[in-house]
């Protein structure tokens, strides 16, 4: 039947129409090339070498399994770690031994050692100024009963402020004075914050907390003073490398010898692991000291050797995307072909025979289509476990229904035409009439819907993997990478690259479907007269 379709003049005209749409024709070839590349993923991304030369013998680990005993002679029949084997004394000690790895020497299941990723050994010591905060308790005459850290604003010790008048140091706005008076008279008052001028002429804020009525009038009222954010100096940063040579600048010069030794010791500890922040007083101000160093924590950004970054399990994202491309296209092609075959067979039987067979089958299909696919997928997965074949089976049991409607309608239209009646009069069997006479004339909806069905299958697989009901981990999948992106929202590479791959493949499929649809359009050259 396929040979007859290829030789058919109308099919040739449709093929030429399809080629006229450059966008669709190029998209088809791009999809074919991408799928061909994905089928050879082991030759592009693999932790096993393509070729090994050892003791005068040739090995091809990418195509054949060799036990570790073959190289190390230790009796182990497990798979060798070729990357460690490459630098072992018995392998690297002979000049004739060598390995050739793929372009990307990482497989989709290989977890990368964090120590193999080169990062900067610089430690940034960030000095962040802490805004000044002071509190005073005042009496009714605004005399200072007690002070806590307010001396930083007044320029004297807190103990020396006792008994002095607050207004000699700070100008209090009228509403602040009124709020203080209300509290002294035991009147409920809300929280209040106002800007004023400090003893050194800088802008500060003064606030009073919410006050509730008490049994007795309070003897003192507390005012809180905070330094304005605009008055806080900017953070300062000191950079240390592995030599621990201190940078000389103004903030380093202000440190005491003991503080310098403490910072250098902490930087040394930070080179090997995390350390806690600290608080240090420099001059009349406190600073919060934070030690920053780039650590390798998965997922990790793009680095040389991992241009698409690393996922949450330490696996190369490029390898996962490439193998996921093969999984997605293979799943889509197998699913669509199987669904088309089942839908064609069911729709052909219904449309050709009609009557009670058509009605009965149609009612059964309607009942079957009403079953919740996702619930069935969850149930089957919990009973039999998630797998590629189970997902293909469950999805295929529902995906054929749509195409069966179109084939049924085509057969109902074609079965009464003259060429079908002539075939019956010639005594041809029903199966030959169905598959050799009617079906070739009813293939238009099958061919035009094929690219769109493929796009839908790829999107469905990604959605199921994203929801956790698709392929079992650690199978490479675009949906699984997008699920990781939801967990690590700061890891932009887990969002960008899988999304671009999914978008590009689905867009190419849509372009191909658009070209096929236009090629089969019977009204392409028609016009209204």
């Amino acid at each position: 039947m396929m040979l007859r379709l290829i030789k058919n003049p109308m099919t040739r005209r449709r093929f030429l129409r399809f080629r006229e749409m450059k966008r669709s024709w190029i998209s088809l070839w791009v999809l074919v090339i991408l799928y061909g590349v994905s089928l050879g993923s082991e030759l592009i991304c693999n932790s096993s070498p393509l070729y090994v030369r050892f003791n005068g013998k040739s090995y091809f680990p990418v195509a054949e399994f060799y036990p570790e005993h073959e190289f190390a002679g230790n009796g182990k029949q497990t798979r060798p770690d070729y990357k460690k084997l490459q630098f072992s004394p018995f392998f690297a000690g002979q000049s004739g031994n060598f390995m050739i790895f793929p372009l990307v020497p990482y497989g989709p299941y290989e977890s990368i050692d964090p120590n193999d990723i080169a990062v900067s050994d610089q430690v940034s010591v960030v000095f962040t100024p802490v805004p000044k905060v002071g509190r005073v308790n005042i009496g009714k005459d605004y005399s200072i009963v007690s002070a806590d850290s307010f001396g930083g604003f007044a320029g004297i010790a807190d103990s020396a402020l006792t008994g002095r008048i607050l207004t000699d140091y700070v100008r209090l706005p009228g509403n602040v004075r009124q709020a203080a008076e209300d509290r002294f008279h035991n009147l409920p008052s809300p929280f209040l914050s106002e800007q004023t001028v400090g003893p050194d002429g800088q802008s500060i804020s003064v606030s009073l907390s919410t006050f509730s009525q008490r049994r007795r009038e309070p003897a003192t009222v507390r005012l809180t003073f905070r330094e304005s954010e605009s008055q806080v100096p900017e953070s300062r940063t000191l950079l240390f490398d592995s030599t621990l040579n201190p940078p000389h600048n103004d903030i380093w010069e202000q440190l005491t010898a003991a503080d310098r030794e403490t910072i250098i010791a902490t930087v040394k500890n930070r080179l090997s692991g995390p350390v806690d922040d600290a608080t240090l007083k420099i001059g009349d101000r406190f600073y919060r000291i934070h030690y920053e160093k780039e650590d390798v924590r998965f997922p990790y950004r793009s680095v040389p050797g991992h241009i698409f970054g690393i996922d949450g399990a330490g696996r190369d994202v490029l390898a996962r995307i490439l193998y996921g491309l093969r999984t997605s296209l293979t799943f889509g092609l197998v699913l669509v072909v199987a669904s088309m075959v089942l839908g064609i067979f069911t729709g052909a039987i219904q449309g050709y025979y009609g009557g009670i067979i058509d009605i009965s089958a149609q009612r059964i299909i309607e009942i079957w289509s009403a079953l919740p696919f996702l619930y069935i997928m969850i149930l089957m997965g919990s009973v039999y476990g998630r797998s590629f074949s189970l997902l293909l089976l469950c999805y295929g049991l529902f995906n054929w229904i749509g195409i069966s409607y179109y084939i049924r309608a085509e057969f109902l239209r074609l079965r009464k035409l003259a060429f079908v009646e002539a075939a019956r009069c010639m005594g041809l069997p029903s199966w030959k009439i169905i598959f050799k006479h009617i079906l070739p004339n009813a293939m238009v909806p099958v061919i035009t819907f094929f690219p769109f069905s493929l796009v839908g299958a790829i999107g469905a697989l990604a959605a199921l993997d994203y929801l956790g009901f698709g392929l079992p981990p650690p199978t490479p999948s675009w949906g699984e990478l997008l699920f990781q992106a939801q967990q690590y929202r700061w890891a932009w590479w887990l969002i960008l690259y899988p999304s671009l791959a999914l978008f590009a493949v689905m867009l190419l499929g849509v372009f191909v479907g658009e070209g096929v649809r236009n090629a089969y359009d019977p009204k392409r050259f028609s016009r209204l007269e």
Side-chain angles (χ1 to χ4, degrees):
M1 184 179 68
M2 293 300 300
L3 185 61
R4 291 173 59 189
L5 285 175
I6 295 174
K7 292 183 177 180
N8 192 306
M10 182 175 292
T11 303
R12 293 182 180 179
R13 288 197 298 269
R14 288 169 175 170
F15 178 72
L16 293 176
R17 292 180 193 174
F18 177 77
R19 289 192 59 177
E20 289 177 2
M21 293 193 62
K22 298 299 182 182
R23 180 173 61 189
S24 303
W25 180 247
I26 294 174
S27 298
L28 175 62
W29 276 107
V30 171
L31 272 180
V32 171
I33 292 173
L34 287 177
Y35 188 48
V37 170
S38 68
L39 291 178
S41 298
E42 285 80 4
L43 304 177
I44 302 173
C45 301
N46 205 328
S47 57
S48 298
L50 303 175
Y51 176 76
V52 175
R53 187 70 176 177
F54 179 67
N55 290 343
K57 296 182 180 180
S58 297
Y59 300 88
F60 301 91
V62 72
E64 186 176 352
F65 170 78
Y66 300 101
E68 187 176 344
H69 174 73
E70 186 73 24
F71 304 98
N74 53 12
K76 295 182 179 180
Q77 299 300 315
T78 56
R79 177 186 177 277
D81 188 341
Y82 289 98
K83 294 179 181 177
K84 292 183 178 179
L85 179 65
Q86 185 180 16
F87 300 102
S88 60
F90 59 85
F91 187 91
Q94 300 185 22
S95 59
N97 297 340
F98 64 92
M99 296 183 184
I100 300 178
F101 280 89
L103 183 63
V104 179
Y106 304 98
Y109 307 108
E110 179 185 8
S111 293
I112 299 161
D113 188 354
N115 296 323
D116 294 339
I117 301 175
V119 295
S120 173
D121 58 355
Q122 284 190 334
V123 177
S124 300
V125 184
V126 182
F127 293 78
T128 304
V130 179
K132 295 180 181 179
V133 178
R135 300 174 181 85
V136 292
N137 289 344
I138 60 173
K140 293 184 177 180
D141 57 352
Y142 293 97
S143 61
I144 300 175
V145 178
S146 62
D148 179 14
S149 301
F150 184 71
F153 293 97
I156 58 177
D158 289 336
S159 58
L161 290 171
T162 304
R164 299 193 180 189
I165 304 301
L166 177 63
T167 53
D168 293 342
Y169 300 94
V170 181
R171 183 178 64 85
L172 296 179
N175 52 353
V176 175
R177 290 174 175 268
Q178 183 60 48
E181 294 294 334
D182 292 342
R183 285 164 172 74
F184 280 122
H185 289 87
N186 204 17
L187 299 177
S189 302
F191 172 81
L192 178 66
S193 178
E194 289 288 340
Q195 292 291 326
T196 186
V197 179
D200 54 358
Q202 294 182 346
S203 175
I204 60 175
S205 66
V206 54
S207 61
L208 293 90
S209 60
T210 303
F211 180 81
S212 301
Q213 192 174 19
R214 307 174 183 178
R215 294 183 179 180
R216 298 179 181 179
E217 295 181 352
T220 61
V221 171
R222 174 175 293 181
L223 285 80
T224 303
F225 296 87
R226 291 182 175 83
E227 186 177 21
S228 175
E229 293 292 337
S230 60
Q231 304 296 331
V232 179
E234 295 182 354
S235 299
R236 305 295 299 275
T237 302
L238 302 180
L239 292 179
F240 289 83
D241 55 19
S242 57
T243 62
L244 301 179
N245 292 325
H248 294 282
N249 57 23
D250 55 346
I251 196 167
W252 181 258
E253 300 297 335
Q254 297 177 35
L255 297 175
T256 63
D259 291 338
R260 294 178 183 178
E261 292 179 0
T262 301
I263 290 176
I264 292 176
T266 307
V267 169
K268 184 177 181 180
N269 294 332
R270 184 64 184 89
L271 289 171
S272 58
V275 296
D276 296 330
D277 293 350
T279 302
L280 184 65
K281 187 174 183 180
I282 304 176
D284 61 345
R285 182 179 294 278
F286 284 93
Y287 288 81
R288 185 177 296 106
I289 305 177
H290 178 65
Y291 300 85
E292 296 181 354
K293 181 182 179 298
E294 186 177 23
D295 296 317
V296 179
R297 295 178 181 176
F298 300 133
Y300 196 70
R301 58 175 176 82
S302 301
V303 291
H306 307 281
I307 58 175
F308 280 13
I310 303 171
D311 72 355
R315 299 166 300 202
D316 187 80
V317 173
L318 174 58
R320 302 284 293 178
I321 290 178
L322 185 59
Y323 280 79
L325 172 63
R326 179 172 64 184
T327 302
S328 299
L329 288 177
T330 301
F331 175 84
L333 289 172
V334 174
L335 174 63
V336 173
V337 170
S339 301
M340 291 290 183
V341 171
L342 185 57
I344 289 172
F345 179 79
T346 306
I349 296 299
Q350 286 182 258
Y352 180 77
Y353 290 102
I356 187 65
I357 295 178
D358 180 32
I359 295 298
S360 301
Q362 195 65 18
R363 299 292 83 78
I364 295 173
I365 291 174
E366 290 173 356
I367 295 172
W368 183 256
S369 63
L371 296 177
F373 162 73
L374 189 58
Y375 290 163
I376 293 178
M377 187 66 226
I378 296 173
L379 177 62
M380 297 292 286
S382 62
V383 174
Y384 298 103
R386 292 156 59 186
S387 65
F388 183 87
S389 56
L390 179 64
L391 181 63
L392 196 63
L393 175 64
C394 292
Y395 205 90
L397 290 175
F398 292 87
N399 202 51
W400 60 272
I401 296 175
I403 195 63
S404 69
Y405 291 158
Y406 291 99
I407 296 298
R408 171 179 173 267
E410 289 292 316
F411 268 72
L412 288 173
R413 179 179 65 86
L414 295 171
R415 68 174 184 167
K416 297 299 184 181
L417 295 184
F419 74 95
V420 178
E421 295 293 341
R424 286 199 185 101
C425 293
M426 293 173 62
L428 295 179
S430 297
W431 68 267
K432 185 172 290 187
I433 297 175
I434 292 174
F435 293 106
K436 288 192 175 182
H437 294 274
I438 302 180
L439 185 57
N441 295 280
M443 289 295 289
V444 173
V446 176
I447 298 174
T448 54
F449 279 106
F450 186 91
F452 298 105
S453 299
L454 177 62
V455 170
I458 294 173
L461 177 63
L464 289 174
D465 287 333
Y466 174 78
L467 295 174
F469 302 124
L471 299 173
T475 306
S477 169
W478 296 341
E480 186 267 341
L481 287 173
L482 292 175
F483 175 73
Q484 289 191 44
Q486 183 184 19
Q487 294 179 305
Y488 308 103
R489 299 185 180 181
W490 49 270
W492 56 266
W493 55 93
L494 294 178
I495 303 173
L496 177 63
Y497 299 123
S499 300
L500 284 179
L502 182 61
F503 171 77
V505 170
M506 296 183 71
L507 184 64
L508 291 173
V510 170
F511 285 161
V512 173
E514 182 184 11
V516 172
R517 183 188 60 192
N518 291 341
Y520 278 81
D521 186 4
K523 300 181 180 180
R524 184 169 181 262
F525 299 106
S526 64
R527 62 181 181 179
L528 182 63
E529 294 183 359

